[in-house]
């Protein structure tokens, strides 16, 4: 084959080459792309290597004519062609963006927003230092670097800059060959992927196939293939798949994702019938209720095809081929041009034949399609005949080039095929300008068809060929070429018209969407408007108009007007007079259309502004077109006009009443006409003479229209005014919304602003009297304007319903206010382009000024308030803002705000056109505030000085000096004076403002304007004004009144003695100016302004810097102030002044010490008093004098310190039940922490109880009433909000009195250790522990009366077990007990048990205890990912074996009896239900309550066992859980302080202090329980003092999930010995607890598996109980008399602490690894000191290391080990110091309150430890201990790795990159781990901030189902990584996600901010963002304080939108 192929290529016999290739492919493809039988969707089985070898290598051989070739890339061609692929210069970059990759746009140089660069180019370009934006790409575009048309400057990066030398010629023969082979490949691929017949291969291949195997006939296999559509949801597809394919939900999810990503997936392999049935099943499901659609107005069946497997294989091959070709273009760059040419070239006859044949078959196939197509075609051809004579070619769809096939068959392909072809287009034709031109011409030629197919299709624009239009329409020269040569404007708008025609209503000829609001098809059609905006985006210069461009532009505009006709007058409203509108009328669609057309209209106006002829032609056209919309009247008698009179003046006006006639808010043609007046120079002729034919025509038109010219705009404005006056109330929200949008920043530029412009035009061309009367008439104010008006309406009834006079006067006054507002706007709004003589920047600046007049604002807020229109988008808003405002940043973490500069205050106009009513009042308030200390003239807020009008508009101010308006003003003043009911403050203010404006006019033009003169003559305005001065009536604006009277008088006086020269000079200027001069002057002015602006800028910058300094200085001051304050507080606190704390006097000398022999003592002088927040009563905290008090508290599980295994997973999955060990102390993994926090708000326990019950009742009531309402607080879980501060709480923590004031004595009072040295103490304790336990004691105390058989056996058993443990097979011995074949006689035992049972209570106890032994514990092994109660995908509790099962009974009895004997000696324990000593009796209940709550947050597990223990050994359980929890709390607070750089003491806030104090006292009071269980104390001591259990892999591995331990309860269920091992485990636990005698030297636990801090606290809390009458008894029970003792810092406690510290040092020695991180965090500051570790210490450490690990070589860096020791000491001692401070109340040394002191010494001394580590670890005792403990270290490296490395560090948040773009680019390469498809990356890549892993959030691909509950990727990861809470960063939309339970979560902005200090939640603005370290630090603190849940709940109270998310799916 290869030889044939190469020789064909050599012979240039292309037909033969094709033949050989086809044959080869026919043979190999079905094999290489074979379908997986079981899971046809799974194509991971494709063998890439074979595909390369068998398919691509031969192809390359043909390209190179080299049969020896073994390369699968075209690299070889470079050599043949002599090209260098690495040279990029001279080319366009053309990098095709991946989905999510960042694109960069330069705000200064890009031609428009679509011009982008890739990161690589951007970094190498000049734009790096410009202002730029960045956006994540949607995966459908390429880098424009190198494209001269795209950039005004810096068109290319340094890599892609053009250089001339490059024009290499490729050898002719190579070119031809490449081209021919490419042709063959492309035709093959495109034929295949556009193949319509699902059962056969394309004709040309089929014919080759027939030739190949004429005789072989295998039964073809078929496939059901599911295609993607955008109408069906994931859920519905998954459901259908589960139902008919019978796959699992996981598989269905995978298929659904594949279909969504790739566009299709095979779902079933089988015979044709089977596959067809599956297809029918799928499609029948279409109307079923299970199928939910994304868009309601389409109901299509699922797209399914039944396909020949061979075809499918070839299609897959085609996809790989195209992909390969795309890649080869980078390997062999010349290929781009060749492929491009191949696509654009005319197909030759044979090729055409193939393609056309193809078309014919496609027509014959799908019959439905033909019908539809025929209809459409006939319709269209008619349509086309009418408008376009040129293209009447009947065979329109006939493809002449491959490109046409691609364009026209786009929608017939599936997603991946499309995107591959689009990528190919981007890499080829778009890289070459000539090819691009050809492409775009073809595109425009088929524009209508392409859009037709797009609209019928349902895929998004990104994956449609229409999305490519942006690539050529945005090229300015090309766009104009297309308009001029191909009439693109007409083509596009005609396409839009043809697709929107169906929405036109017959009679009105307007769009009507009453039936269906914004249909999907319309939505799709309107994408065409995007193309229009692109096409027109580059406005030609005035000399850039060619005749063709002009003709075709005007032609296109005619069509455009045709479109606007359907909008003009749409959705007309008529006032609902009688009743309310029954249903809200549809209004949104019209606005949606407008929004999409808005930019086009603005652009059209900009185009016309550059050419007067075009402008005028279009103006005339528009005016003519208005004929189609005759102006209506509302006279019932048919009269169109009436005469309106006011006082002495009158005018003839059109008779119309807005209240009675219909008005439409949509006037696009009118507004287009208005827009044409924004180039007033072109219409100047309207006011003068003209001979120009066109101009004459226009003038006649305008004349003819007369006042109707602006009538429609006026009506809309009146409608809005009447709506303000509540006259349109009954029309409902539809109208309210329309009006709202009419004024909104989004729409106003093409609506409201244009209407105002239109009125201004009207005012400029109409005589003032007529104009004013027109306005008055429309506002229905003609009578009001008469002096005699008293409320009587003669002009017909206002309303059908009666209106009382008050209503009427209110309405009239409001209308009058609106009328004056309009006058103010007509005269005052001169900043729109063309209206006033001012640069375009000043309009924007004024807009900003007015936004800032309402208060300081952030940049994004200002941006939000600006109009969204094309012209203002082209001006830099930032520049405008900087010109008028100062930037200030109040805090490092808050967003910066802009403050208006004082010198801009005079621009303030309270009646600014874009102010809403609320803006206006806000602005007035703010101005009053900030001006309060300023000069009177500034406080008055006089009307601002305005620029002059342009010549066309210069007559506008004349309306101000018209006697009519002056009379009206006088009238208003008079009515105000009289307090007439037709007056209002607002009306008076506006009238005064208008007078002010008129005076301003007179000031600039005193001679001619003469307002004061006319006012004097008309009505004596000034007298009226003066009459009001100082009166109550004018108080609303008395300052303004004073100022105006002043100015009035000044001007009047000025006029009396005029200095003529000065003024004439002023007025002459504008009059005599020609257009040219005006231009020059404007330019000069602009330059001047710019200069000013620049100097302003520099000024501002220096100012700004100064301000920053200022702010910083202030900040420093405040921080130092707060420091001082805290110092004061501290002094108060420790100086025992009036503070909310017990007042204490400390007794001691020298250095403060809180523990040990030299400890200080504290006395309570007066106890603490608290106020109950519920009943407000004060209560002392005293054991007898006060009622018990509690604090609101929040308990949660915390994995903050939980260790992670090597995979970064939390080590929680080791055992799912509470291991017996945990009852003694916490495991080193710290699998669960129970965190307690409080808001410090105290209440009576009684009050709390009452409140809690009330809450619960209310909640259950509410739950019944509003079913399913989502809420954040869950009362069922015991949650409530603190009544005072609303903090989330779920428990109450008792506030106990200090032990010092209780009758409880301290341990030191019974201890005899006071005179012992540490070494002696340890030796003695060790000796005692090693001593055999004297069983006699037990026997003596127990019922020695008769030692039963079973009792004996129990002891034997125990001995046996002991032995077994030593030999590490602990289960064997106990089997004897549990096997039924035991020698003991069951019956006898039962008898005995019955006899021995004394009462029911104890009976129950033993029953349950026995049951526990038989408990099989299968849950323990169910492998579940999460075992925190909050996150819990734990398998539900499996039914456990029933203890009452008959055959188990004897056994149970046996055990029962055994236990009876065992526990008999501890009656105190069994019967004691006292948690604490008698002294604290009244606190009992609250402590119990809290204890129960805390237990809840421990892991759920072996329930019967925990239940048993909780029930009968409650005190013991609560004590241990509290101690462990106290350890956690103290550790967390100490860590928080450390990472926040605060000292251990002195910076504690009230919450911390109260929490620690309460926990410390709880710990101490719960010590009481251990007096009955002294064996537990001994056992804990054993861990420290005795030989550890032999470290074999099995014993160590009890914390290792991989290898189940033999003795631990988490053995695999499958082993038959399960129940017995369980028994063993339980038994071991009890033996441990009760220390049932026997010579037992060894500790039960490995010292390396224990958390030393928890152990130390537990021991310190209980050690004192071992002293009896001056003797320490560690092996016997001692006397049972209840005592009252508590820890008080006794010597025992101090020695326990010191021993624990040594044990912790040992842990560090044992786990220290040279290579695991030199990141010693605690002590990094004194690096220099330690690195020069003195020789002695070095030696000491080396020696100890040898004792620990004798068989290992010593580490090289002892200093690092030393650092670890220091860190460990801090970690252990800081929490203990906190707890002991609050226990003993001994004030810590000052050094611990000072953050600058870094040494450990004060801490050591405070805790009575040797002050240097060296001293602590030297001596023979330490050596002995170390070598004893060293047995705990496992030898094998595997087990070694499983040991928790000490010291423990919290799981902190990861560090983030400084630049946000870095983060985005980092994740753009991220691929979904479940379906790693090359081209499409995950949509929501999300980073876990705890470990930094990137996840695929909120997507089906990575969702997991555990226990029928779905888990989004983040939620699942959370359970593995951070426990019950998580913090994630969604990278693409710059959002933080905080999550807790499934129901709770919230979004917060990510800690990245732009240059204005603002975050960009959603990443919409696209400004470059930087990490705000302050914000991130806050987040880190939140994490460390475990405040996520609280934050989420708080935030949900603020923003309830967070409720709507399914947080389980994240
Ligand atoms: Zn690039
Ligand atoms: Zn570049
Ligand atoms: Zn730039
Ligand atoms: Zn109370
Ligand atoms: Zn509170
Ligand atoms: Zn993580
Ligand atoms: Zn995924």
């Amino acid at each position: 084959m290869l030889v044939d192929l190469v020789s064909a290529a050599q012979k240039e016999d292309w037909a033969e080459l094709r033949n050989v290739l086809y044959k080869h492919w026919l043979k190999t493809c079905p094999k290489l792309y074979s379908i997986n039988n079981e899971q046809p969707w799974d194509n991971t089985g494709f063998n890439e290597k074979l595909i390369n070898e068998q398919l691509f290598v031969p192809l390359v051989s043909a390209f190179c004519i080299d049969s020896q070739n073994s390369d699968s890339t075209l690299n070889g061609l470079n050599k043949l062609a002599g090209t260098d692929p690495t040279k990029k210069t001279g080319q366009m970059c053309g990098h095709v963006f991946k989905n999510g990759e960042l694109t960069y746009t330069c705000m200064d140089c890009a031609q428009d927003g679509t011009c982008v660069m890739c990161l690589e180019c951007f970094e190498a370009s000049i734009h790096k230092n410009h202002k730029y934006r960045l956006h994540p790409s949607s995966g459908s575009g390429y880098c424009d670097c190198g494209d001269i048309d795209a950039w005004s400057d810096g068109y290319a990066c340094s890599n892609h800059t053009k250089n001339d030398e490059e024009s290499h010629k490729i050898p002719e023969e190579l070119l031809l060959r490449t081209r021919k082979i490419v042709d063959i490949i492309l035709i093959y691929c495109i034929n295949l992927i556009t193949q319509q017949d699902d059962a056969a291969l394309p004709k040309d291949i089929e014919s080759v196939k027939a030739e190949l195997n004429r005789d072989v006939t295998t039964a073809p296999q078929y496939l059901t293939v599911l295609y993607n559509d955008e109408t069906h949801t994931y859920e519905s597809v998954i459901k259908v798949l589960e139902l008919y394919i019978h796959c699992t939900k996981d598989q269905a999810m995978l298929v659904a994702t594949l279909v969504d990503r790739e566009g299709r997936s095979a779902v079933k392999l089988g015979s044709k019938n089977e596959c067809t049935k599956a297809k029918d099943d799928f499609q029948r499901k279409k109307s079923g209720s299970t199928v939910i659609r994304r868009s309601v107005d389409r109901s299509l069946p699922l797209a399914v095809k039944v396909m020949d497997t061979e075809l499918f294989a070839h299609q897959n091959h085609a996809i790989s081929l195209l992909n390969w070709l795309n890649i080869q273009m980078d390997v062999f760059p010349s290929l781009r041009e060749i492929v491009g040419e191949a696509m654009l070239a005319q197909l030759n006859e044979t090729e055409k034949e193939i393609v056309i044949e193809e078309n014919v078959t496609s027509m014959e196939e799908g019959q439905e399609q033909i019908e539809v197509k025929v209809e459409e075609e006939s319709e269209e051809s008619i349509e086309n005949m009418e408008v376009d004579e040129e293209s009447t070619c009947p065979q329109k769809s006939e493809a002449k080039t491959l490109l046409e096939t691609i364009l026209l068959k786009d929608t017939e392909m599936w997603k991946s095929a499309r995107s591959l072809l689009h990528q190919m287009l981007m890499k080829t034709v778009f890289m070459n300008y000539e090819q691009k031109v050809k492409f775009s011409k073809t595109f425009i030629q088929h524009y209508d068809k392409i859009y037709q197919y797009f609209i019928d299709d349902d895929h998004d624009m990104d994956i449609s060929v229409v999305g490519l239009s942006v690539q050529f329409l945005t090229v300015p020269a090309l766009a104009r070429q297309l308009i001029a040569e191909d009439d693109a404007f007409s083509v596009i708008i005609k396409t839009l018209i043809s697709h929107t025609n169906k929405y036109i209503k017959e009679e009105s000829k307007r769009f009507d969407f009453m039936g269906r609001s914004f249909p999907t098809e319309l939505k799709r059609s309107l994408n065409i408007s995007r193309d229009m905006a692109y096409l027109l985006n580059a406005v030609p210069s005035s000399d850039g108009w060619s005749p063709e461009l002009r003709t075709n532009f005007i032609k296109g505009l005619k069509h455009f007007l045709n479109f606007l006709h359907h909008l003009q007058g749409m959705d007309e409203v008529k006032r609902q007079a009688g009743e309310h509108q029954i249903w809200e009328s549809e209004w949104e669609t019209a606005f949606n259309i407008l929004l999409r057309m808005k930019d086009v209209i603005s652009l059209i106006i900009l185009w016309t502004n550059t050419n007067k002829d075009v402008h005028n032609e279009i103006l005339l056209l528009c005016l003519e077109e208005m004929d189609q919309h005759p102006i209506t009247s509302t006279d019932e008698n048919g009269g169109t006009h009436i005469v309106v009179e006011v006082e002495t003046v009158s005018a003839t006006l059109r008779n119309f009443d807005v209240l009675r006639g219909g008005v439409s808010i949509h006037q696009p043609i009118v507004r287009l006409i208005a827009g044409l007046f924004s180039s007033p120079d072109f219409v100047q002729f309207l006011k003068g003479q003209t001979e120009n034919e066109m101009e004459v025509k226009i003038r006649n038109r305008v004349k003819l229209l007369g006042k109707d010219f602006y009538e429609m705009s006026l009506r809309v404005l009146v409608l809005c005014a009447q709506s303000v006056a509540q006259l349109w109330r009954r029309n409902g929200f539809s109208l309210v919304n329309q009006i709202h949008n009419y004024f909104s920043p989004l729409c106003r530029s093409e609506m409201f602003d244009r209407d105002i412009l239109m009125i201004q035009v009207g005012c400029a061309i109409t005589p003032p009297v007529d104009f004013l009367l027109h306005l008055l008439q429309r506002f229905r104010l003609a009578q009001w304007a008469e002096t005699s008006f008293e409320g009587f309406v003669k002009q017909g009834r206002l309303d059908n319903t009666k209106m009382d006079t008050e209503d009427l006067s209110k309405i009239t006054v409001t209308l009058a206010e609106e009328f004056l507002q309009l006058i103010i706007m007509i005269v005052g709004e001169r900043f729109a382009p063309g209206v006033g003589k001012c640069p375009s920047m000043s309009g924007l600046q004024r807009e900003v000024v007015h936004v800032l007049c309402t208060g300081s604002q952030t940049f994004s807020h200002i941006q939000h308030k600006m109009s969204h229109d094309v012209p203002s988008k082209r001006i830099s808003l930032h520049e405008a803002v900087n010109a008028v405002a100062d930037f200030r940043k109040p805090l490092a973490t808050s967003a910066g705000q802009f403050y208006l500069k004082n010198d801009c205050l005079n621009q303030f106009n309270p009646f600014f056109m874009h102010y809403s009513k609320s803006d206006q009042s806000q602005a007035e308030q703010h101005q009053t505030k900030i001006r309060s200390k300023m000069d009177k003239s500034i406080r008055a807020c006089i009307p601002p000085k305005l620029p002059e009008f342009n010549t066309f508009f210069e007559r506008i101010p004349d309306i101000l000096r018209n006697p009519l308006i002056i009379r009206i003003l006088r009238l208003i003043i008079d009515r105000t004076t009289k307090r007439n009911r037709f007056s209002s403050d607002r009306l008076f203010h506006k009238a005064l403002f208008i007078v002010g404006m008129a005076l301003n006019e007179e000031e600039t033009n005193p001679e001619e304007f003469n307002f004061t003169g006319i006012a004097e003559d008309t009505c004596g305005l000034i007298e009226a004004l003066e009459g009001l001065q100082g009166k109550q009536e004018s108080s609303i604006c008395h300052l303004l009144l004073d100022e105006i009277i002043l100015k009035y008088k000044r001007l009047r006086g000025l006029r009396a003695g005029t200095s003529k020269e000065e003024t004439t000079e002023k007025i002459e200027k504008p009059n005599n100016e020609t257009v040219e001069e005006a231009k020059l002057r404007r330019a000069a002015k602009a330059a001047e302004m710019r200069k000013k602006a620049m100097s302003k800028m520099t000024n501002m910058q220096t100012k700004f810097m100064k301000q920053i300094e200022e702010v910083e200085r202030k900040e420093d001051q405040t921080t130092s102030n707060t420091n001082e304050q805290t110092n004061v507080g501290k002094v108060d606190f420790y100086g025992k002044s009036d503070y909310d704390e017990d007042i204490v006097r400390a007794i001691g000398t020298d250095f403060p010490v809180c523990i040990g022999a030299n400890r200080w003592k504290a006395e309570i002088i007066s106890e603490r008093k608290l106020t109950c927040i519920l009943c407000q009563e004060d209560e002392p905290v005293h054991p007898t004098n006060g009622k018990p008090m509690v604090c609101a508290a929040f308990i949660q599980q915390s994995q903050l310190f939980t260790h992670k295994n090597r995979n970064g997973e939390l080590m929680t999955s080791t055992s799912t039940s509470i291991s017996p060990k945990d009852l003694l102390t916490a495991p080193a993994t710290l699998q669960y922490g129970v965190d307690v926090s409080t808001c410090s708000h105290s209440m009576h326990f009684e009050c709390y109880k009452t409140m809690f019950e009330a809450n619960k009742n209310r909640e259950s009531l509410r739950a019944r009433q509003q079913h399913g309402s989502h809420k954040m607080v869950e009362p069922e879980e015991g949650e409530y909000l603190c009544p005072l501060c609303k903090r989330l709480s779920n428990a109450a923590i008792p506030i106990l009195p200090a032990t010092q004031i209780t009758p409880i004595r301290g341990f030191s009072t019974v201890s005899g250790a006071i005179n012992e040295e540490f070494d002696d103490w340890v030796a003695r304790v060790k000796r005692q522990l090693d001593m055999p336990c004297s069983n006699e004691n037990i026997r003596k105390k127990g019922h020695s009366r008769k030692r039963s058989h079973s009792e004996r056996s129990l002891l034997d058993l125990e001995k046996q077990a002991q032995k077994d443990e030593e030999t590490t097979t602990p289960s064997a011995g106990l089997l004897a007990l549990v096997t039924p074949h035991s020698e003991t006689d069951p019956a006898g035992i039962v008898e005995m048990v019955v006899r021995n049972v004394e009462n029911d209570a104890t009976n129950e106890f033993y029953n349950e205890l026995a049951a526990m032994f038989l408990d099989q514990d299968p849950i323990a092994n169910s492998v579940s990912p999460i075992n925190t109660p909050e996150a819990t995908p734990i398998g539900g509790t499996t039914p456990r074996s029933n203890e009452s099962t008959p055959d188990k009974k004897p056994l149970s009895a046996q055990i029962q009896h055994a236990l009876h004997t065992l526990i008999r000696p501890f009656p105190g324990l069994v019967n004691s239900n006292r948690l604490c000593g008698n002294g604290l009796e009244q606190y009992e209940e609250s402590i119990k309550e809290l204890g129960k709550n805390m237990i809840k947050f421990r892991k759920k597990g072996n329930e019967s066992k925990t239940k048993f223990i909780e029930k009968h050994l409650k005190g013991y359980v609560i004590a241990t859980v509290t101690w462990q929890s106290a350890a956690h709390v103290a550790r967390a607070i100490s860590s928080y302080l450390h990472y926040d750089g605060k000292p251990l003491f002195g910076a504690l806030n009230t919450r911390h202090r109260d929490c620690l104090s309460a926990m410390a006292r709880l710990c101490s009071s719960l010590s009481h329980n251990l007096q009955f269980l002294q064996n537990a104390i001994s056992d804990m001591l054993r861990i420290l003092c005795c030989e550890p259990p032999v470290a074999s892999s099995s014993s160590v591995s009890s914390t290792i999930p991989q290898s189940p331990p033999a003795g631990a309860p988490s053995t695999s269920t499958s082993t038959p010995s399960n129940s017995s091992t369980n028994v063993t485990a339980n038994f071991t636990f009890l033996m441990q607890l009760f220390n049932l005698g026997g010579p037992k030297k060894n500790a039960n636990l490995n010292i390396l598996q224990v958390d030393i801090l928890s152990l130390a606290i537990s021991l310190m809390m209980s050690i004192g109980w071992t002293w009896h009458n001056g003797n320490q008894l560690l092996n016997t029970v001692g006397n049972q008399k209840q005592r009252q003792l508590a820890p008080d810092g006794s010597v025992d406690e101090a020695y326990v602490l010191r021993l624990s510290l040594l044990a912790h040092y040992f842990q560090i020695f044992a786990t220290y690894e040279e290579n695991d991180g030199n990141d010693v965090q605690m002590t990094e500051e004194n690096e220099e000191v330690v690195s020069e570790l003195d020789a002695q210490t070095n030696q000491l450490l080396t020696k100890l290391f040898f004792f620990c690990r004798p068989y290992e070589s010593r580490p090289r860096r002892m200093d690092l080990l030393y650092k670890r020791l220091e860190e460990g000491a801090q970690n252990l001692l800081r929490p203990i110091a906190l707890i002991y401070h609050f226990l003993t109340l001994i004030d810590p040394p000052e050094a611990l309150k000072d953050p600058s002191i870094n040494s450990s010494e004060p801490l050591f001394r405070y805790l009575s430890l040797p002050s240097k580590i060296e001293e602590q670890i030297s001596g023979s005792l330490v050596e002995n201990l170390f070598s004893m403990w060293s047995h705990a270290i496992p030898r094998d490296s595997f087990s070694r790795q499983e040991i928790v490395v000490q010291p423990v560090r919290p799981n902190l948040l990861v560090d983030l990159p400084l630049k946000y773009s870095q983060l985005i680019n980092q994740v753009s390469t991220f691929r979904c781990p479940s379906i790693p498809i090359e081209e499409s990356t995950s949509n929501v890549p999300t980073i876990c901030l705890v470990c930094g892993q990137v996840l695929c959030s909120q997507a089906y691909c990575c969702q997991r189902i555990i226990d029928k509950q779905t888990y989004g990727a983040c939620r699942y990861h959370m359970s593995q990584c951070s426990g019950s809470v998580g913090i994630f960063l969604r990278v693409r939309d710059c959002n933080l996600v905080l999550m807790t339970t499934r129901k709770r979560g919230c979004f917060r902005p990510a800690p990245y901010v732009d240059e204005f200090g603002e975050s960009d939640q959603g990443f919409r603005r696209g400004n470059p963002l930087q990490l705000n370290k302050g914000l991130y630090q806050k987040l880190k603190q939140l994490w460390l304080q475990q405040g996520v849940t609280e934050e989420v709940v708080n935030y949900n109270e603020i923003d309830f939108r967070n409720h709507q998310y399914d947080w389980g799916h994240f």
Side-chain angles (χ1 to χ4, degrees), residues 1233-1332:
V1234 178
D1235 182 63
V1236 181
S1237 55
T1238 173
C1239 63
S1240 294
H1241 293 129
S1242 52
M1243 352 174 212
H1244 287 112
F1245 184 58
E1246 283 170 28
C1247 296
Y1248 160 73
K1249 276 294 217 192
T1250 323
M1251 174 201 75
F1252 193 75
E1253 286 308 314
N1255 268 352
K1256 229 174 179 171
N1257 292 338
R1258 194 168 57 234
E1259 208 42 55
S1260 63
L1261 199 72
R1262 208 181 78 157
R1264 247 178 289 142
Q1265 281 164 351
Q1266 353 172 280
H1267 192 69
S1269 72
H1270 197 85
K1271 58 202 179 307
M1272 275 296 140
V1273 178
E1274 290 162 16
E1276 312 85 60
E1277 301 290 317
E1279 288 181 349
Y1280 65 98
L1281 296 178
C1282 164
L1284 193 64
C1285 68
K1286 304 293 169 210
R1287 182 180 185 266
L1288 180 71
S1289 313
N1290 57 10
I1293 180 168
I1295 304 169
L1296 301 178
T1299 6
Q1300 286 84 343
I1301 49 171
T1302 61
I1304 300 167
R1305 288 189 299 152
F1307 283 164
S1308 56
T1309 58
V1310 294
S1311 166
I1314 186 85
N1315 297 320
E1316 276 176 310
E1317 284 299 315
F1318 176 62
D1319 291 14
D1320 303 337
W1321 184 87
V1322 174
R1324 181 176 55 73
V1325 168
K1326 187 167 159 44
R1327 211 165 40 242
Q1328 265 182 294
L1329 287 172
D1330 287 347
M1331 239 158 41

Side-chain angles (χ1 to χ4, degrees), residues 1420-1469:
N1421 313 296
S1422 63
V1423 180
S1424 93
I1426 303 155
N1427 13 52
T1428 59
E1430 281 294 295
T1432 44
I1434 299 181
T1437 46
T1438 333
R1440 54 192 71 256
S1441 73
N1442 192 345
E1443 58 263 36
S1444 62
T1445 325
D1447 60 314
K1448 293 265 172 74
K1449 221 167 196 169
L1451 180 64
S1452 125
Q1454 185 189 11
I1455 295 167
Q1456 200 175 43
H1457 182 74
L1459 292 168
H1460 194 244
T1461 326
L1462 175 68
I1463 300 174
R1464 207 171 166 77
F1466 305 94
L1469 175 69

